[in-house]
Amino acid sequence: MRKRIFLIGVGGQGILLATRLIGEAALYAGFNVSMSEVHGMAQRGGVVESAVVFGNRHSPVLADGEADIVIAFEPLEALRALPKCNKESVIVMNNSPIPPFTVTSGISDYPSISDIEMIIKSKVKAFYSFNGLAVARDAGSDKALNVVMVGIAVGLGLLDIDEALFEKALASLLPDRLLATNIKALNAGIALGQNSVRS
Amino acid sequence: MSSLLKAENEKVFLLGNEAIVRGAIESGVGYVTAYPGTPSSEIIDTMYRLRNDTGIRVEYAVNEKVSVEVAAAVSNAGIRSLVSMKHVGLNVAADAFMTLSYVGVKAGMVIVCADDPSLHSSQNEQDNRFYARMALVPMLEPSTPQEAYEMTCKAFELSESFGTPCLLRTTTRVNHARGVVKTGFIPPNGGMKKGEFKKDPFRYVVVPMVGRMLRVEQLKRWESLTQESNATDLNFVEGSGKIGVITSGVSYLYVKDAIEELGLNEEMKIAKLGMTSPFPDKFILNFLRTVDKVIVVEELEPYLEEAIRSVAQVGKWNGVIVGKEFIPRHFELNVPIVKRAFAKFLDLSLPQEEIFTVPSNIPARPPNLCPGCPHRATYYSVKKTFGRDALYPTDIGCYTLGLLPPLQMADFLICMGSSVSTGGGFSIALDNPVVAFIGDSTFFHAGITGLINCVTNGHKLLLVILDNSTTAMTGHQPHPGASMTVEGACECKVDVKTLVEACGVKACEVVNPLNVTRTIKTFEKIKNSMDSDPGVYVVISKSPCPLLERRVLRKKQKVYFFVDDTCDGCNVCLEELACPAFVRTDDRVSIDELLCIGCAVCAQICNSIKPRKIEK
């Protein structure tokens, strides 16, 4: 068994916490797990990417073509993650955009979400697009998008880790006052993932 | 208490930098110091956060040179010390480092130096392993957080038993990897205590006569360290094939994955080096004699490769050695790169896999100065006053982002502190006006001597000190002039203006860049003085980093700004200020109220921008 998961999004979306959530759950499940992060410019509105690998894999760094699963927190960044994928990859994408400054300032145009979805769909084995932000908002906080996205991947059955371990991992990572909202977000994500497997 | 301290003999999921912290605490370190620098900063920040629980004395240093010097004294007074820095920090500390290797240490002293292959957040990707060879100090290279933890403990032991500082050389992918670490136990009596120092000037005061004696001792120590390197279990052999691989650091992980993915477990045998200085010559010669040919897999320079070639020559081993002709010398390695190198080396064919490309012309997402960042306001006023003609040497910090269009306020940069000294240089070689930019933390780190040099030699420039009261880029660490830390407001220890005036500049003015009109007026006044009475001028552009201010001083935002119906879409705000809160729509500009922090700078350059109270 080997899972190589790549996470990508924009500074402030809680990508490192999402990565760690998967990592801690994998550790509880008894896997050999490692993660890599790139720190530095995250607070300055740039792209943030990280990776978590577990099972039969030593290197935590994912090169082009090496991601089994991509969790993209933002549509444009999902597109930017394509080189990390291969034909067998699965991409899970939050489809609510955060236009970069190059777009808001009128220098370039943000591609349409349906174009982005079409391009990605044509390349990889499976592609799921959700409005994760709406789910997070329903659960009580936009900031819980990161936990919703992990929940969706769990619900889709992509991670091979028992659901309950994610709740345990959340409790170890978050202060008590944020826990209820995030558990709600996790479960909403899981339910959404499970429903789309059935449909 | 932090989970980093609670875990005893159990598995925890730690960042490489946290693993180093844990190893140092278990080793009974008493003193820790550093100037922050990516990817090493979490070491000092974590130590600082835990200082009350551990009893360790933790100090943010003004630069890497002083950090090594202070720690050298503490270690020679019998207390274990740890210093961390990014790779280029060791350039700053090199003077202290080279001769400390002569004088040596009493209690263990570990210097963590974090290299940054691929330049994720650095100005170069120099290979600091050569420093170990040049200074003749031992060096350990971990591959994972687990090894970072173990080797930190080992580095303290080596340092103390051989009486020399020990380098722990990491790379970004070790510092910022998170992995499972099996902890040990924290000794009950760790932390800072009183040391003792027995005077012995003919061993501790390096005049030439003492230096000559110490040089001979250093070489003797080097011989014993070489024996240690040949014997240590940090260097080990794995597998049984006749094709050799020699590797160290994170490359070991790429090698293991590549071998498994290519199904070469039976054919390839790995020599994994954890202690790479002194080079384990006998260990490697023994390894070479068990294989037919060998490939060296290491990032950056052929540090191991050259030593291996030399060992092979001395030991008359005639097998094939390949290294940098198969393994790139620039940037990080990864599993596919190593697989391709093995395939080429062994004449295997790899299946061609399609690599997807990112559609061309999708919008970029470059990092940007934050909304309300005072640096943007300073750049605006300087540009209004000095225009495109002036030369703008810059320095290292968030404000280096001023390089990007549309601001484009950066013309030259090589290293910490270079703004002011290169500005002086340009001023004697060119006729253009020179305006140099430096952050407050960088000014303390390496700018003061440059400023004095400009004054002394009659250079002509304006130095703008961008004083946001913190070291923002690396995570808001304090510095001598800081008036707030992550823990709240604090008293400023060294006043920048007093210091600058003492350097003998023609004039030093302080402005609040968020007040655009007054700031431009001050710059115009200085510009006139520079024409009539050329020399060195300083403007301190003082306004706290809004990110930190909002976080630690809990400052509430009272207004945000909006664009009213009179906007004629002239685009000046976007072309000259370019705050990320601006949104361009078909024929006008609006402001994203969620991003606006209410700094009011844009409202001073455009009459269509108005404040609106935030309803509570």
Side-chain angles (χ1 to χ4, degrees):
Chain A
M1 212 285 296
R2 175 180 74 179
K3 294 276 178 200
R4 300 170 300 184
I5 305 156
F6 185 73
L7 296 94
I8 189 166
V10 180
Q13 286 190 303
I15 288 142
L16 295 188
L17 184 84
T19 317
R20 221 173 135 189
L21 176 58
I22 299 173
E24 297 277 356
L27 179 60
Y28 290 138
F31 288 112
N32 180 33
V33 53
S34 57
M35 244 176 91
S36 72
E37 313 170 356
V38 170
H39 296 211
M41 297 296 241
Q43 265 176 326
R44 317 292 182 268
V47 181
V48 174
E49 36 176 81
S50 66
V52 52
V53 301
F54 54 91
N56 190 19
R57 166 85 177 191
H58 303 281
S59 160
V61 181
L62 296 189
D64 284 356
E66 285 199 311
D68 301 312
I69 299 159
V70 169
I71 304 179
F73 286 54
E74 204 279 340
L76 191 57
E77 299 318 315
L79 211 49
R80 232 188 291 277
L82 266 181
K84 294 286 178 199
C85 301
N86 55 59
K87 286 185 202 118
E88 297 303 310
S89 305
V90 180
I91 300 190
V92 184
M93 178 182 98
N94 165 42
N95 59 24
S96 58
I98 301 177
F101 183 63
T102 47
V103 170
T104 52
S105 63
I107 302 166
S108 18
D109 292 321
Y110 198 101
S112 82
I113 302 294
S114 56
D115 281 356
I116 292 177
E117 291 176 336
M118 224 169 58
I119 294 172
I120 298 176
K121 214 178 213 163
S122 71
K123 307 268 186 194
V124 294
K125 188 176 85 182
F127 171 63
Y128 302 93
S129 169
F130 298 94
N131 188 340
L133 189 63
V135 180
R137 199 165 287 170
D138 275 351
S141 168
D142 286 12
K143 288 214 162 107
L145 169 68
N146 52 357
V147 176
V148 170
M149 294 306 291
V150 174
I152 293 173
V154 175
L156 287 167
L158 299 175
L159 301 183
D160 289 350
I161 298 171
D162 182 11
E163 270 176 49
L165 297 179
F166 287 91
E167 205 169 308
K168 188 177 162 195
L170 263 185
S172 77
L173 289 172
L174 291 176
D176 290 346
R177 65 191 162 83
L178 300 178
L179 199 54
T181 306
N182 278 282
I183 288 178
K184 207 168 149 192
L186 178 70
N187 290 327
I190 292 175
L192 188 59
Q194 283 169 342
N195 286 338
S196 40
V197 178
R198 277 182 215 117
S199 59
Chain B
M1 199 196 284
S2 161
S3 59
L4 192 57
L5 297 179
K6 264 192 301 195
E8 298 251 284
N9 196 27
E10 65 178 281
K11 285 182 171 179
V12 275
F13 197 39
L14 297 184
L15 201 62
N17 282 338
E18 293 171 339
I20 291 168
V21 167
R22 175 70 194 210
I25 295 172
E26 286 190 20
S27 303
V29 71
Y31 178 71
V32 177
T33 184
Y35 184 81
T38 316
S40 74
S41 308
E42 293 81 8
I43 299 172
I44 184 78
D45 291 348
T46 306
M47 281 290 191
Y48 189 75
R49 194 162 45 76
L50 301 177
R51 70 194 187 285
N52 293 329
D53 292 325
T54 58
I56 296 168
R57 181 164 178 133
V58 182
E59 295 183 354
Y60 284 101
V62 177
N63 70 26
E64 294 84 357
K65 178 177 185 286
V66 298
S67 71
V68 168
E69 291 160 349
V70 179
V74 170
S75 276
N76 273 302
I79 290 152
R80 285 190 167 186
S81 69
L82 178 97
V83 191
S84 60
M85 62 194 67
K86 68 183 292 163
H87 59 332
V88 286
L90 195 50
N91 301 336
V92 179
D95 199 4
F97 179 65
M98 297 305 296
T99 307
L100 183 59
S101 165
Y102 280 49
V103 172
V105 298
K106 192 165 133 200
M109 172 170 170
V110 176
I111 301 175
V112 183
C113 98
D115 285 18
D116 189 21
S118 280
L119 306 90
H120 292 287
S121 36
S122 306
Q123 65 269 41
N124 76 24
E125 58 167 9
Q126 67 184 46
D127 191 332
N128 271 19
R129 295 179 298 175
F130 288 99
Y131 267 117
R133 189 185 286 173
M134 182 158 68
L136 305 184
V137 300
M139 170 174 61
L140 308 182
E141 282 192 75
S143 309
T144 60
Q146 173 70 37
E147 284 191 357
Y149 157 75
E150 290 167 6
M151 288 187 187
T152 303
C153 302
K154 181 73 186 174
F156 274 107
E157 287 169 24
L158 276 176
S159 166
E160 198 157 302
S161 54
F162 289 89
T164 168
C166 183
L167 264 192
L168 184 73
R169 188 261 191 176
T170 56
T171 56
T172 304
R173 299 306 189 171
V174 175
N175 297 94
H176 287 169
R178 194 178 281 277
V180 183
V181 175
K182 174 92 188 296
T183 66
F185 296 92
I186 295 176
N189 54 349
M192 188 65 178
K193 33 189 137 0
K194 275 282 158 264
E196 77 180 356
F197 179 74
K198 212 167 134 224
K199 288 191 182 192
D200 185 1
F202 290 98
R203 112 143 263 123
Y204 291 119
V205 180
V206 193
V207 291
M209 144 182 107
V210 173
R212 279 181 214 115
M213 173 200 74
L214 293 175
R215 166 69 173 149
V216 175
E217 273 186 28
Q218 180 198 40
L219 289 171
K220 263 192 217 145
R221 185 196 304 138
W222 187 242
E223 265 179 41
S224 343
L225 280 164
T226 306
Q227 283 171 17
E228 171 71 21
S229 181
N230 279 315
T232 178
D233 55 10
L234 297 178
N235 300 328
F236 59 85
V237 174
E238 234 175 43
S240 57
K242 296 298 278 179
I243 302 157
V245 188
I246 301 175
T247 187
S248 70
V250 73
S251 306
Y252 168 62
L253 305 182
Y254 308 143
V255 164
K256 283 182 69 105
D257 283 328
I259 289 177
E260 278 171 31
E261 288 181 23
L262 294 171
L264 293 170
N265 302 57
E266 303 292 312
E267 284 82 12
M268 294 186 104
K269 176 150 104 175
I270 307 171
K272 195 278 196 191
L273 302 184
M275 183 167 181
T276 52
S277 171
F279 190 75
D281 51 358
K282 294 205 171 66
F283 171 86
I284 285 297
L285 188 59
N286 287 338
F287 175 76
L288 291 177
R289 286 180 175 148
T290 66
V291 295
D292 297 332
K293 53 181 178 175
V294 72
I295 178 165
V296 188
V297 181
E298 60 188 321
E299 285 178 329
L300 304 178
E301 303 305 312
Y303 171 83
L304 300 177
E305 184 187 336
E306 285 171 2
I308 294 162
R309 288 186 190 286
S310 148
V311 163
Q313 197 265 341
V314 173
K316 300 189 169 56
W317 184 78
N318 293 320
V320 173
I321 300 170
V322 303
K324 286 297 155 187
E325 60 269 56
F326 286 43
I327 301 285
R329 193 165 171 168
H330 60 284
F331 308 156
E332 292 180 314
L333 303 182
N334 58 39
V335 179
I337 289 175
V338 176
K339 274 163 75 175
R340 284 196 293 273
F342 284 174
K344 196 172 152 197
F345 183 48
L346 303 173
D347 221 2
L348 307 171
S349 63
L350 286 180
Q352 274 299 320
E353 275 168 43
E354 185 194 354
I355 294 292
F356 303 132
T357 49
V358 180
S360 57
N361 68 40
I362 72 165
R365 195 186 296 274
N368 205 329
L369 293 172
C370 304
C373 176
H375 300 331
R376 177 182 293 104
T378 306
Y379 283 140
Y380 175 84
S381 295
V382 171
K383 203 175 190 176
K384 277 281 161 206
T385 313
F386 289 88
R388 278 255 140 262
D389 250 10
L391 202 81
Y392 299 113
T394 193
D395 229 299
I396 296 180
C398 291
Y399 50 95
T400 320
L401 291 172
L403 151 94
L404 299 171
L407 294 173
Q408 293 175 293
M409 291 295 279
D411 292 320
F412 199 79
L413 168 66
I414 45 182
C415 62
M416 291 285 281
S418 72
S419 57
V420 55
S421 11
T422 61
F426 284 120
S427 82
I428 56 177
L430 305 171
D431 285 332
N432 311 50
V434 176
V435 182
F437 296 102
I438 192 167
D440 44 355
S441 186
T442 309
F443 178 66
F444 283 111
H445 177 284
I448 302 165
T449 44
L451 180 62
I452 296 173
N453 188 60
C454 287
V455 170
T456 311
N457 291 299
H459 298 164
K460 294 161 198 157
L461 79 157
L462 166 60
L463 177 66
V464 180
I465 301 176
L466 300 156
D467 182 353
N468 61 2
S469 203
T470 186
T471 316
M473 186 69 153
T474 48
H476 296 119
Q477 293 84 358
H479 62 68
S483 55
M484 57 184 175
T485 72
V486 287
E487 291 167 335
C490 66
E491 209 174 307
C492 153
K493 305 274 196 323
V494 181
D495 179 56
V496 181
K497 184 162 193 277
T498 315
L499 180 62
V500 166
E501 284 170 344
C503 293
V505 299
K506 295 263 181 198
C508 175
E509 302 273 352
V510 180
V511 297
N512 174 2
L514 302 186
N515 187 328
V516 179
T517 320
R518 272 206 216 151
T519 301
I520 292 182
K521 212 175 257 173
T522 306
F523 280 126
E524 277 169 352
K525 192 179 91 187
I526 297 267
K527 188 173 181 237
N528 291 333
S529 307
M530 287 170 77
D531 290 337
S532 58
D533 183 16
V536 180
Y537 290 81
V538 172
V539 169
I540 301 166
S541 189
K542 196 171 170 66
S543 182
C545 170
L547 277 184
L548 182 62
E549 197 184 30
R550 272 185 296 175
R551 199 167 96 211
V552 304
L553 305 183
R554 313 240 166 225
K555 222 179 137 188
K556 285 274 175 287
Q557 184 179 342
K558 296 195 181 87
V559 293
Y560 67 87
F561 287 79
F562 72 100
V563 187
D564 70 16
D565 294 340
T566 62
C567 172
D568 61 0
C570 75
N571 232 24
V572 165
C573 59
L574 270 165
E575 281 159 18
E576 296 187 4
L577 203 56
C579 174
F582 295 144
V583 181
R584 173 82 207 180
T585 41
D586 294 339
D587 54 351
R588 47 165 296 163
V589 173
S590 59
I591 291 174
D592 183 335
E593 62 178 85
L594 292 175
L595 290 178
C596 174
I597 72 152
C599 74
V601 168
C602 58
Q604 298 166 68
I605 68 165
C606 175
N607 291 329
S608 302
I609 299 178
K610 305 272 164 54
R612 186 174 278 155
K613 272 205 166 149
I614 293 174
E615 305 292 336
K616 282 282 168 250

